[in-house]
Structure formats: C-alpha cells, structure tokens
Amino acid sequence: MSNSTVRAIVTDIEGTTTDINFVHKVLFPYAHNKLPEFLRANAETPAVAEQIDAVRREMGEPDATLEAVIAELLHWIETDQKVTPLKALQGMVWADGYQRGDFKGHLYSDVAPALHQWKEAGKALYVYSSGSVQAQKLLFGYSDEGDLTPLFSGYFDTHIGHKREATAYQRIVAELDLPADAVLFLSDVVEELDAAKQAGMQTLQLVREGTQAGTHHACVTRFDEIVL
C-alpha cells in the first residue's frame, strides 16, 4: 500500500470475507433446489414477474413459458452465469432461506472484528461483489456474527460495471467522492485488483486457502494483518 491515508475500504466477498464454498456449496444448491417451486408460487408477484420477463429477454424468447424460463435459470446456475435477473431471483430465494434460518452468512473469523475496528477508526466501509446488492445485504445481515449491515456505507454489484474492468472502479471512486488513492480495495482475484489499481485505488490481495498469490499487489492472509 502507498502512504496515502486510507479513508474508505471496499471489500469483495467470495474468497475475501467469505469462504467460496459457502457460495458454491450452500447458496447455489439452495437456489437450484428452491427456485422452481418459488417461481411457480410467485410468478404473478410484480417483482418476480419483472425478473421473469427479463429472463425471457435474455433468452431472446418473449413468449417463453414459465417452465422454459425455469429450465434456463437452472442452466445458468449450473454453469455459474453472472446474469442480472438470475442474481435478482436468487436473492429473493436466499432472503427466504435466511429468514427461515435455513443457513447463516459465512464470514471468516478475522473479518467482523476488523470491520468493527475500521468503522470505529472512522473508515467508510463498502462492499463490491458480483452477487446482487440484495444478496450482499442478506449475507452480512444474517451473518454468523450477527447483523453487520450498520457497518457499511454502501454496496456495489455488476450494475456499476464488471469487476475486471477499470471503469467500474472509476465509477465507484466517483460515487464515493474521494481521491482514488484514499480508497483501498480488498479482493482475492488478481484481475480485479489490477483493474482497481488502474483506477488509482490502493489494493491488497487476500490469500486465503486455495488462493494463488499474485506478484503485483501486496498480500495478506487475514484481515487482522491489514495495517492502515
């Protein structure tokens, strides 16, 4: 990191605050199992109907049946597609699961104490993840460390741009209304860190279990190793 004072921290989720297995082995299978039944039960609800129409547009089939839409959504989950209406519908299904207590949002044990400490030190905290803003709020709101949403000043998803493109980070900096080098971005993915650095942000790579350390960014293995 440079010597410029960090005034805001933007963190990724998967592989950074949260074990990637939680997303791939808990959340995705849950959505895959529950989505068909959820859509059949709620297809007439305006918020759900709007997303079903968005799926039809993505398919290029405005008259696709509900069953065809469901089949397409399941295919997108199986192939890990980052499609906006899928993310929105998954978020609705997960909201149901969190509220029922079917699971809690996983956080590495070093994450919550560091977030509290940074917040108390006057740092503004943000999340930037490819999962929808709703899914981000659910994960931190129903986390195994309790409701952490009061710690965050804002959330960004792919509506702001793709995580491997510098323009997304330029837009985030513009929204935060801070000098780019006063913003620290945390991620496990080198290509995301490269894009953030191109936009002028400070960067740190989280090298959790199963992550390959890159060579262009400073690395830490835990949040409590981060010195601001």
Side-chain angles (χ1 to χ4, degrees):
M1 287 195 298
S2 79
N3 294 324
S4 299
T5 306
V6 171
R7 290 167 58 190
I9 298 164
V10 179
T11 183
D12 166 54
I13 292 179
E14 276 185 45
T16 302
T17 64
T18 298
D19 191 331
I20 212 155
N21 284 329
F22 172 69
V23 178
H24 290 277
K25 294 189 177 169
V26 177
L27 290 184
F28 282 2
Y30 187 87
H32 192 283
N33 292 340
K34 302 282 186 180
L35 198 60
E37 166 199 335
F38 176 83
L39 287 178
R40 291 180 195 120
N42 299 285
E44 305 302 316
T45 312
V48 177
E50 185 188 334
Q51 298 306 327
I52 290 170
D53 283 339
V55 174
R56 290 182 175 123
R57 284 196 296 277
E58 288 279 346
M59 293 167 71
E61 295 177 35
D63 301 321
T65 64
L66 181 60
E67 292 308 311
V69 166
I70 289 170
E72 187 71 11
L73 285 163
L74 295 180
H75 171 68
W76 288 344
I77 293 173
E78 287 153 15
T79 52
D80 194 14
Q81 302 287 315
K82 314 276 193 226
V83 188
T84 303
L86 167 64
K87 296 290 178 192
L89 289 166
Q90 280 176 322
M92 293 177 199
V93 172
W94 291 332
D96 222 24
Y98 281 113
Q99 283 152 15
R100 288 169 194 261
D102 289 348
F103 46 80
K104 289 186 169 179
H106 170 270
L107 296 175
Y108 289 113
S109 62
D110 51 280
V111 171
L115 293 174
H116 282 289
Q117 198 183 336
W118 297 338
K119 181 74 175 175
E120 280 161 26
K123 311 299 179 191
L125 304 179
Y126 297 86
V127 179
Y128 179 30
S129 170
S130 56
S132 68
V133 165
Q134 183 198 12
Q136 297 171 28
K137 288 179 176 175
L138 288 166
L139 190 147
F140 287 104
Y142 291 89
S143 89
D144 40 25
E145 300 290 338
D147 180 6
L148 300 183
T149 55
L151 299 177
F152 293 101
S153 300
Y155 304 83
F156 301 99
D157 60 17
T158 50
H159 281 99
I160 198 101
H162 288 288
K163 294 188 73 190
R164 299 183 180 207
E165 292 172 7
T167 48
Y169 299 88
Q170 288 160 357
R171 288 185 197 119
I172 288 172
V173 166
E175 290 227 3
L176 302 194
D177 199 19
L178 288 171
D181 67 356
V183 182
L184 170 63
F185 178 58
L186 308 175
S187 176
D188 60 320
V189 178
V190 170
E191 292 84 354
E192 295 176 6
L193 295 162
D194 289 345
K197 195 171 227 177
Q198 248 183 293
M201 286 185 181
Q202 297 190 52
T203 56
L204 265 181
Q205 184 183 14
L206 267 295
V207 184
R208 304 280 191 186
E209 190 184 345
T211 303
Q212 215 34 61
T215 52
H216 304 309
H217 306 274
C219 296
V220 291
T221 61
R222 298 165 53 86
F223 273 32
D224 48 21
E225 292 172 9
I226 298 170
V227 181
L228 300 177

